Amino acid sequence: RSNTSSSSSSSPYVAFVSEPWTIWMKETLSHLKSRGLLRDLKPLSLKTKLGVEEFYDTGRDASKSNISDVPTVSVDSVRARVDKETYERWLNNGSSSGITTTSSTTTTTTTTDSSTKSDSFKVVTLFSSNDYLGLSANARVRRAFARAALEFGAGYRASQLIAGYTNYHRALEEKLANLERKSSCVLFPTGFAANISVLQTLAESVFIKRHDDSSLNDRVANVDSSTLEVEIFSDALNHASIVDGCRLAKARVSIFKHLDYDDLEARLKRSSAKRKIVVTDAIFSIDGDVANIKRLGSLKKNYPFLLIVDEAHSTLVYGEFGGGLAEAQDAQNDVDIAIGTLSKAIGAHGGFACCSEEMKSILLSRGRGQIYSTSLPAPIVVAAIEALDIALERPDLANKLWRNVHYFHNDVLRSKHNSNNAVTVKKNKIVSGCVQSAFDIRDSHIVPIFCGDEQTALRVAKHLLLRGFHAPAIRPPTVPDNECVIRLAINAMHTMKDLDELGAALNEAFSFSPGESIFTSRL
């Protein structure tokens, strides 16, 4: 195959695209760019040479007794090495897909060459990671992952129902089920897949015709919602995976006001659906709002429904044993299906649904997200098991996270940003009266700093980056217009110095007038 490009193209790998699709792509890209919605990838830099000897030893027992949990210098869950190009693109909100064009040839640039001088990189402190306990970089977790990779490779590459399910997958399911106080558990490739699959499956009728062309057409056609026997009640600010699950489900969907359980009750009263589902995030991913699972459990007694709670941001963070918000509110028995992810506080990758044995059988038989996906790689599963063991053995990790959370809310934001002038804003959020009421003060490990318009949010994010902190601006369509925030994720691995310096940088950012330059340093 020739690598020479034609004179009419800058790349030898451009396929022919018909005119309607060329026009659609051009118009879509133009629209996204004009609205400031064109997203991109900006790579962080990892080491090129993977020295296994740095974190692998021959003594299996040593990983639990003689080896420190503290990561080596090269691995840190809250520090990231950023190359100069990525840093500049972050500052200027520029686009990057990891591809650099030189002359007429397109090449992929690798920024992790070991020969690169250290001064071409900048280390930033992450307030953007969901690895809340720092377990992804824990030495024991890394050793467990490395040993599994050396012994099993990626594991059997098939779906769980074919040949991808191992004794390690079963062990992980059992640990997760125990954590959520459920009798069983189903693993999914991601938390997104778990939510979509569960909601889609629960909306199915008992009898489903075998797949043919007519049933496919029925599935995608507009269905009269009045004929559907399932109604899903979903919080207005639920995660996109729940939103998409509702869209795919063959059910009526009723959106109740955010955390407004009186509105939910009114909708339940009006519903004539034979089967009802209420689904909510436990901790909402942008605002850090906390659901009232106990109140939902009380509603179940008067309006029988299936309660699904997504514990993605609360697993290992809330509850005496890390079971999440439902455990913390003594409401695990009210939850029928607990959805979760392995990719946040557990520090691995994948999703899960904890439920009854009967529900597991149905999800295994009809949950398309796991039926038609390759199972989780064995090293990921082993690492997740180790992470869960560590979290149970070391409650000090969650305690340190909450010490950081309370210190940031009570000491950094309140005392250092004039809490005496606190005011109440929308959703009864308490914010500091300083710097245009920017600081949203509530006790959660997810802290949204209210900015309003996009330009203010981008300006604040840029200033934080110049001060060495990565905390990106959250903009439409993730949030409504003029409700942009800087989303801060507090981590157990952050130091009080990190939190103090972040608070000072935020105060600086909001002290600038909109037209004033904030560039005070450069890489």
Side-chain angles (χ1 to χ4, degrees), residues 73-114:
V73 175
S74 62
V75 182
D76 190 331
S77 60
V78 296
R79 318 282 172 205
R81 196 174 68 149
V82 185
D83 67 272
K84 185 174 182 178
E85 180 184 359
T86 293
Y87 183 74
E88 290 293 335
R89 290 183 183 277
W90 269 354
L91 279 178
N92 300 306
N93 196 36
S95 64
S96 170
S97 59
I99 296 177
T100 301
T101 303
T102 304
S103 301
S104 62
T105 303
T106 302
T107 59
T108 301
T109 61
T110 303
T111 60
T112 55
D113 189 340
S114 59

Side-chain angles (χ1 to χ4, degrees), residues 450-463:
F450 183 75
C451 296
D453 63 275
E454 290 189 49
Q455 291 306 312
T456 298
L458 290 171
R459 180 172 59 83
V460 173
K462 183 183 291 186
H463 184 75

Side-chain angles (χ1 to χ4, degrees), residues 64 69 131 133-145 172 175-176 179 315-316 321 341-349 379-395 397:
K64 290 191 176 181
D69 286 345
D131 182 17
L133 302 184
L135 287 173
S136 70
N138 182 279
R140 279 175 52 183
V141 172
R142 292 187 292 125
R143 288 188 181 91
F145 182 95
L172 177 57
K175 285 184 178 293
L176 292 168
L179 190 70
T315 302
L316 298 190
F321 300 101
T341 177
L342 304 173
S343 62
K344 293 182 172 61
I346 297 176
H349 186 83
I380 291 289
V381 173
V382 171
I385 291 172
E386 188 72 12
L388 287 169
D389 287 343
I390 293 169
L392 288 174
E393 294 167 15
R394 292 193 53 190
L397 289 174

Side-chain angles (χ1 to χ4, degrees), residues 123-302:
V123 175
V124 297
T125 299
L126 300 177
F127 279 89
S128 51
S129 169
N130 296 324
D131 182 17
Y132 299 121
L133 302 184
L135 287 173
S136 70
N138 182 279
R140 279 175 52 183
V141 172
R142 292 187 292 125
R143 288 188 181 91
F145 182 95
R147 288 192 181 95
L150 288 170
E151 189 166 350
F152 311 128
Y156 302 113
R157 299 294 75 211
S159 70
Q160 293 189 106
L161 294 177
I162 303 300
Y165 186 74
T166 70
N167 54 317
Y168 287 100
H169 291 76
R170 181 183 291 275
L172 177 57
E173 287 177 343
E174 291 173 352
K175 285 184 178 293
L176 292 168
N178 287 334
L179 190 70
E180 297 294 344
R181 300 295 185 265
K182 298 290 179 283
S183 58
S184 201
C185 175
V186 182
L187 296 177
F188 289 87
T190 63
F192 203 106
N195 272 324
I196 287 180
S197 299
V198 168
L199 289 169
Q200 189 176 15
T201 298
L202 294 178
E204 295 284 5
S205 60
V206 173
F207 303 102
I208 301 178
K209 295 179 181 179
R210 291 183 62 85
H211 184 78
D212 56 31
D213 290 342
S214 60
S215 65
L216 178 61
N217 290 334
D218 290 342
R219 204 174 264 281
V220 299
N222 291 324
V223 180
D224 181 3
S225 63
S226 64
T227 66
L228 299 175
E229 63 179 25
V230 178
E231 184 165 3
I232 300 173
F233 300 84
S234 179
D235 189 288
L237 294 188
N238 273 339
H239 188 263
S241 57
I242 296 176
V243 173
D244 285 1
C246 291
R247 289 172 175 171
L248 288 172
K250 297 180 70 174
R252 293 196 296 272
V253 178
S254 181
I255 308 299
F256 62 91
K257 296 176 183 177
H258 181 48
L259 298 182
D260 188 337
Y261 302 118
D262 291 334
D263 181 45
L264 170 61
E265 184 173 12
R267 293 172 183 272
L268 287 167
K269 281 183 180 179
R270 294 194 300 267
S271 175
S272 60
K274 181 179 179 181
R275 290 181 286 138
K276 302 177 182 65
I277 299 169
V278 172
V279 58
T280 182
D281 282 326
I283 306 299
F284 289 80
S285 61
I286 300 300
D287 290 338
D289 293 333
V290 179
N292 190 337
I293 310 302
K294 201 70 174 176
R295 172 74 189 279
L296 292 172
S298 297
L299 286 175
K300 280 183 67 176
K301 298 174 182 178
N302 296 324

